[in-house]
């Protein structure tokens, strides 16, 4: 019998190490305990899990991953790890931590005390209005929010109706100012639809690939 | 076995009108396949479907139905990409 499948460790995110192993409760996959493993000054947040492919179409699994990361974020700044990162055993997690140590030291400086917030603006259904106003809306949102944010990324406009898809890295003490500005601009440009989401762990600002197969490994 | 085909002839600077036409048609066919079976395009449609649901423009049922069909399409396009059908094989050697 192959015991590797039973010894898997699913990694949700990485935090700065604490003196003692910490438990976040039985909130992992299959109701397993989520806990930290210490590696130098970092701790991957893991749960025991079956070594298998985690499908991007599985809404429940994605929810579990997100829920755990959100729970950890209540207490710590996190280095995000891509959904689906399960390792055959603890030893392989440690090997990954060793090879990614330098990149993680850089990443923690970027994400420390910050969160990611997302803003999408879409044109109303069957929009037949003023494209100049749409451009002005996009431009003002982008300019004002970038002034408050620590960093920002323009993400892929995956739909013809999407005129802005921005991701913003915001210091925790500036979240309120950022939210107020989003609200002010949403009211000003009320003919457009705005989606404001977060806080997320900063997936778009950290890009570490370790032991990767295609997009695998830590990200 | 040395296979004399249009690629070798072209490398030698020899063009044959009939073969050139076939070659051009092959390129067009491959581009059309890439356009039709492009996983990135399907991923964009999955994101768009999610977005429309979040904005309340489609119901949960419509969202689920479209998502399920797009996920099938994504699996198919990824398989198609892995198969890389545009690669020539010398079946006579």
């Amino acid at each position: 019998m192959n015991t590797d499948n039973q010894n898997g460790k699913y990694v949700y995110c990485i935090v700065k190490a604490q003196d003692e192993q910490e438990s976040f409760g039985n909130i992992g996959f299959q109701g397993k305990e989520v806990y930290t493993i210490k590696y130098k000054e970092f701790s991957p947040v893991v749960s025991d899990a079956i070594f298998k492919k985690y499908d991007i179409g599985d809404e429940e699994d994605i929810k579990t991953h997100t829920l755990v990361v959100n729970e950890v974020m209540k207490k710590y700044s996190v280095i995000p790890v891509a959904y689906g990162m399960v390792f055959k055993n603890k030893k392989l997690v440690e090997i990954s931590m060793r090879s990614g140590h330098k990149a993680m030291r850089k990443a923690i400086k970027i994400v420390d005390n910050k969160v990611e917030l997302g803003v999408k603006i879409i044109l109303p259904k069957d929009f037949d209005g003023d494209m100049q106003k749409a451009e002005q809306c996009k431009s003002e949102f982008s300019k004002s929010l970038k002034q408050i944010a620590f960093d920002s990324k323009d993400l892929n406009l995956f739909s013809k109706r999407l005129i802005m898809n921005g991701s913003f890295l915001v210091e925790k003490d500036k979240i309120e100012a950022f939210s107020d500005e989003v609200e002010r601009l949403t009211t000003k440009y009320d003919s457009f639809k705005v989606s404001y989401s977060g806080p997320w762990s900063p997936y778009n600002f950290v890009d570490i690939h370790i032991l990767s197969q295609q997009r695998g490994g830590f990200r | 076995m040395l296979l004399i085909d249009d690629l070798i002839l072209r490398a030698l600077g020899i063009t044959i009108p009939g073969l050139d036409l076939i070659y051009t048609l092959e390129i067009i066919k491959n581009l059309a396949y890439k356009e039709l079976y492009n996983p990135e395009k399907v991923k964009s449609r999955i994101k768009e479907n999610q977005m429309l649901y979040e904005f309340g423009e489609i119901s949960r049922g419509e969202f689920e139905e479209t998502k399920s069909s797009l996920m099938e399409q994504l699996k198919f396009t990824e398989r198609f990409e892995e198969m890389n059908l545009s690669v020539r094989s010398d079946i006579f050697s």
Side-chain angles (χ1 to χ4, degrees):
Chain A
M1 188 177 116
N2 182 5
T3 53
D4 276 349
N5 277 351
Q6 334 283 308
N7 296 333
K9 302 279 176 214
Y10 185 97
V11 182
Y12 299 89
C13 56
I14 296 160
V15 297
K16 276 187 193 167
Q18 309 304 308
D19 290 337
E20 292 186 6
Q21 179 179 307
E22 183 164 354
S23 170
F24 293 92
N26 296 333
I27 56 171
F29 291 105
Q30 294 93 38
K32 296 275 185 177
E33 184 189 12
V34 173
Y35 58 96
T36 56
I37 303 173
K38 195 171 176 186
Y39 180 82
K40 294 189 178 173
E41 70 268 48
F42 294 107
S43 285
V45 177
V46 306
S47 71
D48 298 346
I50 298 164
F51 184 75
K52 60 160 191 165
K53 190 183 176 197
Y54 287 77
D55 197 336
I56 58 157
D58 193 326
E59 216 171 317
E60 281 306 309
D61 279 358
I62 292 174
K63 260 189 205 165
T64 304
H65 178 102
T66 312
L67 186 139
V68 171
V69 176
N70 287 347
E71 200 55 37
V72 178
M73 277 176 68
K74 285 180 186 168
K75 231 174 147 184
Y76 303 107
S77 296
V78 306
I79 297 177
V81 170
Y83 165 76
M85 286 300 98
V86 64
F87 292 79
K88 271 188 178 172
N89 50 50
K90 190 180 168 191
K91 187 79 192 156
L92 280 174
V93 177
E94 285 166 355
I95 291 170
S96 307
M97 291 298 291
R98 195 183 311 143
S99 48
H101 186 247
K102 202 173 159 189
M104 283 174 211
R105 285 178 72 177
K106 274 189 192 169
I108 197 74
K109 284 182 194 159
I110 298 169
V111 302
D112 201 16
N113 215 28
K114 298 178 195 82
V115 294
E116 182 174 322
L117 300 168
V119 179
K120 287 191 190 83
I121 306 172
I122 65 166
L123 299 172
K125 210 174 181 180
D126 306 320
F127 178 74
D128 194 19
D130 187 353
M131 271 318 282
Q132 213 173 347
K133 198 177 175 197
E135 273 303 315
Q136 187 191 330
C137 166
K138 174 192 166 179
S139 161
E140 194 174 342
F141 258 92
S142 176
K143 197 178 164 193
S144 303
L145 298 179
K146 278 178 183 174
Q147 277 173 359
I148 303 169
F150 178 83
D151 197 3
S152 66
K153 289 262 164 75
D154 294 324
L155 304 179
N156 181 24
L157 298 178
F158 52 79
S159 163
K160 281 179 186 167
R161 287 178 59 194
L162 194 57
I163 58 169
M164 178 178 146
N165 185 12
S167 190
F168 299 86
L169 187 66
V170 179
E171 284 150 306
K172 283 181 183 168
D173 59 0
K174 290 187 180 168
I175 294 176
E176 204 178 323
F178 190 92
S179 304
D180 288 347
E181 189 60 7
V182 172
E183 200 180 325
R184 183 186 76 77
L185 291 166
T186 304
T187 311
K188 182 175 175 183
Y189 294 101
D190 61 356
S191 53
F192 301 99
K193 291 188 169 188
V194 177
S195 144
Y196 176 40
S197 65
W200 309 108
S201 60
Y203 286 99
N204 287 302
F205 299 90
V206 175
D207 197 18
I208 309 170
H209 293 254
I210 301 163
L211 293 183
S212 61
Q213 284 184 333
Q214 293 180 340
R215 63 181 280 279
F218 289 155
R219 199 162 71 98
Chain B
M1 173 186 164
L2 176 66
L3 186 71
I4 306 286
D5 73 352
D6 58 317
L7 288 178
I8 293 175
L9 293 174
R10 190 167 285 103
L12 296 171
I14 302 165
T15 56
I16 300 170
L19 285 180
D20 268 358
L21 178 65
I22 293 168
Y23 182 70
T24 310
L25 288 175
E26 270 187 9
I27 290 176
I28 294 169
K29 183 193 77 182
N30 289 337
L31 285 175
Y33 274 160
K34 276 188 181 166
E35 184 69 14
L36 192 62
Y37 303 115
N38 181 350
E40 290 312 311
K41 285 205 163 181
V42 184
K43 281 179 192 169
S44 288
R45 289 176 60 202
I46 292 171
K47 287 183 198 168
E48 186 179 44
N49 184 47
Q50 176 80 33
M51 181 185 81
L52 294 178
Y53 175 61
E54 283 170 8
F55 274 101
E57 292 199 359
I58 54 172
S59 68
R60 179 84 198 175
E62 285 171 309
F63 164 70
E64 292 286 0
E65 197 181 321
T66 311
K67 184 183 162 189
S68 157
S69 139
L70 288 171
M71 290 308 291
E72 279 301 311
Q73 224 172 308
L74 181 64
K75 278 181 194 163
F76 181 76
T77 53
E78 283 176 343
R79 270 206 303 272
F80 182 83
E81 205 176 49
E82 281 164 17
M83 283 160 66
N84 200 4
L85 292 181
S86 62
V87 171
R88 287 162 179 253
S89 304
D90 177 5
I91 59 171
F92 300 112
S93 58

